[in-house]
Amino acid sequence: MILPVKYNPITFKDNKNKKSLEYNHDTLLNDGPLTRLRIGVDRLTNAFTIYPAKGLKGSKNANFYEFLTMGTVPYIVGSLTLMSVFNSANKHFAPFARNKASAFGRKMALGVLFYGLLKGVSKSLISLPVNALTGINIEHPYAKVIYELPDDINDTDITSIEHHKVFESVEFPRWDLYYGDEKKGQKKNFRYDRIAKKLGMGRNLKDSDQEVKPRIKEIVVKANLAKNISSYLWAATGVGLAFQKPWENYFRVMTFKFWKGKEFLNSLESFGENFIKSAKEFWHGEGSGAAKHSGKILLGSAAASTILGLANTLYSSHTPAKTKDLINKQDRYVVN
């Protein structure tokens, strides 16, 4: 068994001004709803505050991770702008035009909301079955400790935490984080043993880590492709669902004032009823020809992309990638 290379990172300490770190080394995190929520809030907060400030002052510690994280800022700002463009000018229209514009603007806002929700949630339709059937959690998060360069001679706050995924890089996965801690009574390869068992490669393999790593890479690549394709189709389905006529009934009683109990409950009940009606209308369609079946086609494409992508990923998990024979057994060979 080939073990990962371990290193002790250099730490900078100031006895007069010590900073208590949540992590003092790269740490594998438990993948659960609370962990994902905490990571999401942390990244979103930093994207609007710390990372732009570092960029504006030309910090030498700004990096590509921070640049990618700030990509959520234009996405959110653009979504809010798209909502406001179709809703802010309604008060200047005549009563009839105002009602039409309000209905369209609210559907646009609902479409933006459904787009984001279904794009994110639909990825779990791939990752959760893959994790359950192969033991490979392609979304497994970990905390990476970054030791930054001091901005001035008195700077002691020179550490930061980044949140990544173990299989974020297909070329360089963080294999080391998947090894067990023998100090905690864990077997070195217990995670790789579990994956090998689920992949049908056998039990008690001598070097299960080396056996399953090529298979893990193949599964991660195919799962990521399936997620990327299906998520956009599900997002488009959400937009189509949001533009159905029954939603106009919900908009008449819509309220987010939860302190008004009865009105808020009526709003929730109306949302559920009109969601079902909109889904039926989206499925049955209007008009004739291709337009009438556009909802079925879009929903079917999204479902098919998920099923076929998942099937392809799971099939590859039990079928090693084919390789060509390097030796032609029909030829003659001379050993010097």
Side-chain angles (χ1 to χ4, degrees), residues 67 182-183 262:
F67 169 76
E182 294 178 337
K183 294 180 180 178
K262 187 176 180 179

Side-chain angles (χ1 to χ4, degrees), residues 215-257:
R215 305 282 287 275
I216 291 176
K217 282 190 174 185
E218 186 179 0
I219 291 170
V220 169
V221 170
K222 293 192 175 185
N224 286 337
L225 176 63
K227 283 195 307 178
N228 291 335
I229 294 175
S230 64
S231 64
Y232 283 102
L233 289 172
W234 282 111
T237 302
V239 174
L241 178 63
F243 274 85
Q244 302 307 307
K245 189 174 180 60
W247 287 115
E248 296 177 12
N249 300 325
Y250 165 67
F251 295 144
R252 296 190 186 100
V253 298
M254 178 181 64
T255 181
F256 298 106
K257 298 177 180 179

